[in-house]
Amino acid sequence: MKDDLVIIHPNTSNQDSTQVKDPLQRKTWRSACSHLVSRDFLRVLLLGQILSLCITTTTIFSTKLAQGDNPVSIPTTQSFLNYLVLGLVYTGITIYKEGFRGWLHIMRHRSFYYMVFAVIDVEGNYFMVKAYSYTSLLSAMLLDAWTIPCVVLLSVFFLKVRFIRYHYLGVLIAMAGMGFLIWSDMEAGKNFPGSDYIKGDLFCILAATLYAFSNVYQEFLVRQTSMYEVVGQLGFWATILNGIQLAVLERNEVQAVEWTGSVVGYIVGFDIAMFILYSVSPILFRLSSATFFNLSLLMSDFYGLIFGIFLFDAKINYLYPIAYVLICAGIVVYNIYPTPDPHFKHIFSRNEDDKVADEKSPNTMV
C-alpha cells in the first residue's frame, strides 16, 4: 500500500509529516466519492440488488403461504429443498474440482466449522419464515436492519475490520430508522395483516441476529477457501439438520397441509430464489463484505413496499416513510468510504493462497 512506502526519518518534524499526510487524506476523500460511481462499486451494487430481489421474492412466497386462505406454516420444510439442491450441486462441483480424496479431506478436517455454520443458518431461516405467520410483510422486511449493527460488531471483533466514523454513523442512522419502524408497528396494531405483530417482530429480530452470525461466518470461510466448498458443505450439513428438525417439529404440520398447486408453487418459487441467493452471495462477500451485503439488502424493503401494497393491501403508517428515509440515508453515509479489508487469522491450512486471491473475481463460484 502507498502508506507503507512513506518513510519518515527521525529528524523529520511533525509539521512535515502532517504536510505529507494531508494531501493523501484529501485524495482518499476524492477517491471515496469517485468509488460510488466506479465500475467495481457498480458491479457489487448490481449483485446486491439481485440478492435484494431474491430476498423480496422469498418474503412474498412465505407471506402468501402463511397468510393465505389456507395458512401454511412449515418453515423447515420450505428450506429443505434448497439445502438439498445446494448440497447436491456444490458437493458435486467440489468432488469434480478437488477429487473424491480432497472432499474426504474436507469432511475429516473441516466438518465442525461447517456444521456450526449450518446450525446458525438453518435456525435463522426457521425463525424468519416463522415470523411471517405473526407480523406484517413490511415489518419483516425492515426489521432485517437489525442484522447490520450485529454484523458490524462481529466484523470488528471476529474479522478484525477497522471501520471509520462514517461507517458507524451510517449504521446509527439506519438503526434510528428501525426504531421508527417498531414505533409504527406499535401504533398500527390491527391495521397490519398479522396475528401477533409483537411476537412476529421478536422472531424477526432473533432471525436477523442469527443471519448476522451466518453472514460474518460465511465471509470468514469464503475468504480463505473455495466458495463452492463452503456452499456445498453448508448444503450437505444443513440438509441433514433440516431433515431431522423437519421430522421432529413439523411432521404433523406437513401431513395436515393441503398440497394444492398454489402451495407447491409457492414453495418451489421460494426455494429457487433461495438457491440463487446462496449461489451469488459468496461472490459479494469476496468482492465486498458482510456489512455491505446487508446494507445492499435493505433495498429489498423498497421492493417489498411495492409488492406489499399491490399484493397484500398493506396500509402504510405515517411513520414508515420516516423509517425508510433514515435507512436509505444510513446506506449513503456508510458508503462514502469503502469498507476496509478484514485482518483475521486464517484457520484453514491449504496450499491454495494464490487460488483464493484469484477468486476476487465474479467468475469464481466454480
Side-chain angles (χ1 to χ4, degrees):
M1 298 177 65
K2 289 185 177 180
D3 292 344
D4 297 330
L5 300 176
V6 179
I7 300 176
I8 309 257
H9 295 284
N11 59 350
T12 304
S13 66
N14 292 334
Q15 181 177 0
D16 292 336
S17 64
T18 302
Q19 291 175 353
V20 172
K21 290 182 180 179
D22 283 344
L24 290 176
Q25 291 174 350
R26 288 195 294 269
K27 183 177 179 181
T28 301
W29 172 263
R30 290 194 299 269
S31 299
C33 292
S34 63
H35 172 71
L36 296 176
V37 293
S38 66
R39 179 178 298 179
D40 290 340
F41 178 76
L42 293 177
R43 181 172 57 184
V44 297
L45 183 64
L46 177 61
L47 288 174
Q49 297 318 297
I50 293 173
L51 297 175
S52 294
L53 287 171
C54 290
I55 289 291
T56 304
T57 303
T58 61
T59 303
I60 290 171
F61 285 132
S62 295
T63 306
K64 281 288 190 180
L65 284 169
Q67 299 180 1
D69 295 333
N70 297 308
V72 176
S73 180
I74 47 174
T76 305
T77 306
Q78 280 182 237
S79 301
F80 179 78
L81 179 60
N82 170 56
Y83 288 128
L84 177 63
V85 175
L86 285 173
L88 291 174
V89 171
Y90 290 108
T91 298
I93 293 174
T94 303
I95 294 174
Y96 174 77
K97 292 281 189 177
E98 309 291 342
F100 190 72
R101 279 187 164 184
W103 181 75
L104 289 178
H105 174 83
I106 293 170
M107 295 294 290
R108 285 197 302 266
H109 295 88
R110 304 179 186 176
S111 293
F112 173 77
Y113 300 104
Y114 292 122
M115 282 190 284
V116 171
F117 183 24
V119 170
I120 296 171
D121 198 75
V122 167
E123 298 311 318
N125 285 329
Y126 174 82
F127 282 106
M128 181 54 74
V129 176
K130 197 73 173 176
Y132 297 132
S133 301
Y134 301 103
T135 192
S136 67
L137 169 69
L138 296 180
S139 295
M141 298 291 285
L142 289 175
L143 278 172
D144 282 342
W146 173 251
T147 305
I148 297 173
C150 296
V151 166
V152 170
L153 291 175
L154 291 171
S155 296
V156 170
F157 292 105
F158 186 53
L159 299 182
K160 309 301 181 184
V161 177
R162 298 182 180 89
F163 294 105
I164 62 174
R165 61 181 179 273
Y166 291 99
H167 298 131
Y168 293 114
L169 179 60
V171 170
L172 288 175
I173 295 174
M175 288 303 300
M178 193 189 72
F180 274 97
L181 169 69
I182 297 176
W183 182 12
S184 70
D185 248 7
M186 295 295 293
E187 289 195 354
K190 295 181 181 179
N191 290 334
F192 282 82
S195 59
D196 190 341
Y197 59 90
I198 295 180
K199 183 177 181 179
D201 286 354
L202 291 175
F203 276 175
C204 286
I205 292 175
L206 176 58
T209 304
L210 291 171
Y211 281 155
F213 278 92
S214 176
N215 294 160
V216 173
Y217 197 51
Q218 186 174 7
E219 181 181 353
F220 172 75
L221 294 172
V222 300
R223 284 184 177 272
Q224 53 185 317
T225 191
S226 303
M227 289 184 285
Y228 52 76
E229 174 190 320
V230 175
V231 180
Q233 286 290 296
L234 169 64
F236 179 87
W237 293 109
T239 299
I240 298 173
L241 174 63
N242 208 261
I244 295 173
Q245 186 166 306
L246 191 159
V248 173
L249 298 179
E250 290 185 2
R251 180 176 54 188
N252 295 330
E253 287 83 351
V254 172
Q255 292 176 351
V257 171
E258 184 180 350
W259 294 97
T260 62
S262 59
V263 170
V264 174
Y266 293 151
I267 292 177
V268 171
F270 173 90
D271 285 311
I272 291 175
M274 288 290 283
F275 181 83
I276 297 172
L277 176 70
Y278 277 87
S279 298
V280 176
S281 57
I283 302 174
L284 190 60
F285 287 134
R286 275 287 184 80
L287 296 176
S288 184
S289 67
T291 305
F292 180 81
F293 167 80
N294 283 279
L295 286 172
S296 298
L297 293 188
L298 287 178
M299 281 305 297
S300 64
D301 302 334
F302 174 72
Y303 306 135
L305 173 65
I306 296 174
F307 286 109
I309 292 173
F310 290 101
L311 296 179
F312 304 105
D313 297 323
K315 298 177 181 179
I316 308 303
N317 183 275
Y318 73 97
L319 291 172
Y320 259 100
I322 300 175
Y324 185 71
V325 169
L326 285 173
I327 290 173
C328 290
I331 296 174
V332 172
V333 172
Y334 179 90
N335 284 302
I336 290 176
Y337 281 93
T339 305
D341 290 330
H343 298 86
F344 61 88
K345 181 180 179 180
H346 289 204
I347 59 173
F348 292 163
S349 59
R350 191 176 175 184
N351 296 325
E352 294 186 6
D353 293 340
D354 294 335
K355 178 180 179 180
V356 171
D358 290 341
E359 287 181 342
K360 284 274 189 179
S361 158
N363 304 315
T364 58
M365 177 57 74
V366 297

